[in-house]
Amino acid sequence: MEKVTGKRALVVPLTHDALVTGIKALAERVRLEPAIFAGHSLRRGGATAAMRLDVNSMYIKMQGNWNSDCFERYCELDTEQKLVLLGAMAEAGAALL
């Protein structure tokens, strides 16, 4: 995030509070209920996007400040990944018969 002071732009870290405040303000501007939006959805979405790009789980944990593998519960498969998984499960089940 940049903060302009006079003629110089300083790069400052984006705090959690500033992020959540911004998300809620944007939700309100588009007439959505701000109370249902928070920073957690970005954390979850970031972990999901990284997983889909095959980012090493150690880096996902570090980026999201997770101390465990709990981020894996938040990652969602897209439709194509679900179909591949379903096909693999069906094939494995058929092999048991």
Side-chain angles (χ1 to χ4, degrees):
M1 171 172 261
E2 287 187 12
K3 188 184 268 185
V4 178
T5 57
K7 294 183 179 186
R8 295 184 80 190
L10 302 173
V11 176
V12 295
L14 179 63
T15 65
H16 179 266
D17 288 343
L19 175 68
V20 172
T21 298
I23 290 170
K24 291 180 181 294
L26 288 172
E28 195 167 18
R29 282 181 71 185
V30 295
R31 298 193 170 133
L32 295 174
E33 179 54 49
I36 63 171
F37 293 91
H40 183 73
S41 56
L42 293 178
R43 192 175 183 213
R44 179 180 183 169
T48 297
M51 179 203 69
R52 289 180 182 170
L53 293 170
D54 291 325
V55 172
N56 183 300
S57 63
M58 179 185 73
Y59 297 129
I60 298 173
K61 285 170 54 174
M62 291 169 64
Q63 180 63 32
N65 291 324
W66 276 287
N67 294 321
S68 69
D69 293 332
C70 70
F71 75 91
E72 294 173 350
R73 287 183 265 167
Y74 297 119
C75 294
E76 297 177 5
L77 299 175
D78 61 26
T79 302
E80 184 177 335
Q81 290 170 318
K82 288 178 182 179
L83 290 172
V84 168
L85 180 59
L86 182 60
M89 291 170 65
E91 190 175 303
L96 294 174
L97 298 176

